Amino acid sequence: MSESSLRLVWVYPDLLSTYGDRGNALVVERRARQRGLNVTRIDVRSDQSVPTSGDIYLIGGGEDRPQRLAAERLRQDTGLVRASENGAIIFSVCAGYQILGHEFINDLGEREPGLGLLDVWSTRGEGARNVGDVLADVDPRLALPQLTGFENHQGITHLGEGVSPLATVSVGGGNGTGDGTEGAWRDTVFGTYLHGPVMARNPAVADMLIKLALDVNALPPADTTWYDALRAERITATRQPA
């Protein structure tokens, strides 16, 4: 696969990179290079235009005010929306997940428009925050192993008919709606509340994005020793009663 190349775009690391979400970009890049792919990684700050020629776009989490600023700039820029229209793969976490929806509640307590790339909308919960480790079974159509991650959010994300839940939680709050759903996905656009970073805990997710970008059904084997040890440790810890 050494003749293939991958263009990886990390969106707004200056605003949206909470809980080590930058690690998702590092893992996708590493997993691609392990397969002999030539990777061009572009870190796009919030004062720069989002290129439309990327293959995979990653968006992390952020605090309330940076989330509002990111949403404003992404709406004005339109690069991410146009990339999605071109068939790019987009993977978003927490605040980034909410931004991809129709709307969320910003730091001013107001309804903030999102990008409408996922048929979801987010409100702010009145109860306790969803905080802690999560275990979730992924939509079987994605053929991924159990997800492990860490959530810390007050948001409640409601899914419309245009998306499917990314996973169903066995431990954790997920979307916060009480129906056990976690995240959402449609075609090549994905959202989740899981940090960790989620790619380090779940390298199969990174591999899935690479396969989608290359339009292949399988990738050459790559070493997962470190990832397997991390997954096993976190899954075991999460399953133990408090």
Side-chain angles (χ1 to χ4, degrees):
M1 304 182 71
S2 59
E3 294 182 359
S4 299
S5 61
L6 191 72
R7 292 161 295 182
L8 176 63
V9 182
W10 175 230
V11 179
Y12 293 178
D14 54 329
L15 294 178
L16 301 174
S17 189
T18 304
Y19 301 123
D21 290 330
R22 176 175 175 268
N24 291 331
L26 297 176
V27 172
V28 173
E29 182 177 8
R30 172 61 178 164
R31 299 293 290 171
R33 292 191 186 280
Q34 283 182 297
R35 276 55 180 255
L37 295 172
N38 295 314
V39 181
T40 299
R41 182 175 137 198
I42 305 169
D43 291 3
V44 181
R45 295 179 58 85
S46 58
D47 59 351
Q48 299 173 318
S49 297
V50 177
T52 60
S53 58
D55 298 305
I56 298 174
Y57 293 76
L58 301 174
I59 313 173
E63 301 299 327
D64 290 348
R65 183 173 182 274
Q67 180 186 21
R68 171 168 58 86
L69 295 175
E72 291 174 352
R73 294 174 189 184
L74 287 170
R75 290 197 307 270
Q76 295 168 359
D77 178 73
T78 75
L80 187 62
V81 172
R82 286 181 288 145
S84 177
E85 292 171 347
N86 292 337
I89 291 87
I90 303 176
F91 190 92
S92 58
V93 175
C94 203
Y97 170 30
Q98 293 185 359
I99 288 172
L100 293 195
H102 298 301
E103 66 177 30
F104 60 91
I105 304 301
N106 65 23
D107 59 309
L108 305 176
E110 301 170 344
R111 293 162 62 179
E112 181 78 26
L115 302 182
L117 298 181
L118 285 173
D119 184 16
V120 305
W121 64 99
S122 299
T123 57
R124 187 168 295 168
E126 299 297 329
R129 292 178 68 86
N130 289 297
V131 181
D133 278 296
V134 175
L135 291 178
D137 296 318
V138 184
D139 186 327
R141 290 173 292 176
L142 296 175
L144 293 173
Q146 187 177 49
L147 286 181
T148 168
F150 179 84
E151 63 181 352
N152 185 352
H153 62 96
Q154 191 76 33
I156 298 177
T157 297
H158 308 267
L159 276 56
E161 295 181 356
V163 296
S164 299
L166 178 65
T168 302
V169 297
S170 56
V171 178
N175 287 323
T177 51
D179 60 0
T181 62
E182 202 298 305
W185 73 286
R186 174 191 60 82
D187 298 330
T188 59
V189 182
F190 303 86
T192 180
Y193 272 112
L194 299 189
H195 302 281
V198 68
M199 301 290 183
R201 294 196 187 196
N202 306 276
V205 175
D207 291 351
M208 176 190 71
L209 302 185
I210 296 169
K211 286 187 288 186
L212 286 171
L214 299 177
D215 193 22
V216 298
N217 294 322
L219 296 172
D223 180 51
T224 60
T225 302
W226 183 88
Y227 304 99
D228 291 343
L230 175 61
R231 280 180 57 78
E233 190 275 329
R234 293 317 310 156
I235 290 173
T236 298
T238 304
R239 286 175 174 165
Q240 290 176 345

